Amino acid sequence: MDDTSIIDDTFQEILQDFLIESFTLVEKLDEKIAALEKTPEDLELLNEIFHVIRTLKGASSFLNFDGLTHLAQHIEDVIHQAKDGDLIIAQDNIHTLLESIKLIKALLNTIRDTSNNAGIDTSTCVARLNKISAKSGIWSRILKRIKQIIKRDF
């Protein structure tokens, strides 16, 4: 057995472990985002979602699945803003998050079938996630300014 086949076998083992763990994490995300719809300000739930998506992002980055990593980063940004109190997850945000999870599943299926994550267009969903994050940034700045005024005047 040469070095190349050992590396290929090792990669396939790592890939299989990644896929098993990732599909399990995505199922948890589905459940947690559905729960978030009922309690959008639940900090414990937001933290759980944040850690699940961060784990998925880290593992996909390690394996150079850039499309999956990129999408996960944008989901993480939205959830981070929500858990910091800069964003309340509204119904349309839930829809975008659920769409993101569907895309993650599609990416994982593609990785399972082809060992890469090419061919799935995430740009529209990423743009929606960016729009959510941008709105959050505006409201965060407004709230900080209001807090400064209240602190100064009272």
Side-chain angles (χ1 to χ4, degrees):
M1 188 179 283
D2 66 1
D3 289 344
T4 304
S5 62
I6 291 171
I7 291 171
D8 287 344
D9 289 346
T10 302
F11 177 76
Q12 287 304 315
E13 284 181 41
I14 292 169
L15 180 60
Q16 288 309 309
D17 289 344
F18 165 77
L19 288 168
I20 290 167
E21 179 71 16
S22 295
F23 278 114
T24 301
L25 290 172
V26 169
E27 289 308 312
K28 288 181 183 178
L29 278 175
D30 263 342
E31 294 168 12
K32 291 182 185 312
I33 290 174
L36 190 63
E37 190 169 18
K38 296 175 182 132
T39 57
E41 295 180 46
D42 183 337
L43 186 57
E44 184 177 332
L45 184 57
L46 288 166
N47 278 323
E48 290 172 10
I49 293 168
F50 181 80
H51 289 294
V52 168
I53 199 69
R54 179 168 264 193
T55 299
L56 184 62
K57 181 190 77 172
S60 65
S61 176
F62 175 76
L63 293 171
N64 293 318
F65 295 129
D66 297 335
L68 180 54
T69 303
H70 183 70
L71 178 59
Q73 176 63 56
H74 290 276
I75 298 167
E76 182 183 325
D77 290 344
V78 169
I79 298 301
H80 187 267
Q81 290 173 340
K83 72 185 201 85
D84 282 353
D86 295 333
L87 170 69
I88 294 178
I89 303 291
Q91 186 62 40
D92 58 332
N93 299 350
I94 293 287
H95 177 75
T96 300
L97 289 171
L98 289 171
E99 177 187 349
S100 301
I101 302 310
K102 284 181 186 175
L103 281 171
I104 287 175
K105 287 178 184 178
L107 287 163
L108 289 172
N109 285 324
T110 299
I111 291 167
R112 181 194 60 216
D113 296 342
T114 66
S115 296
N116 71 59
N117 66 168
I120 305 277
D121 182 15
T122 62
S123 61
T124 301
C125 188
V126 166
R128 287 187 188 122
L129 291 165
N130 285 340
K131 188 175 179 180
I132 293 168
S133 293
K135 286 180 185 177
S136 167
I138 291 167
W139 285 111
S140 178
R141 289 189 297 275
I142 290 169
L143 287 173
K144 284 178 186 176
R145 182 66 183 134
I146 290 170
K147 287 177 184 177
Q148 289 172 342
I149 292 168
I150 291 171
K151 187 177 181 180
R152 182 190 68 208
D153 292 344
F154 295 99

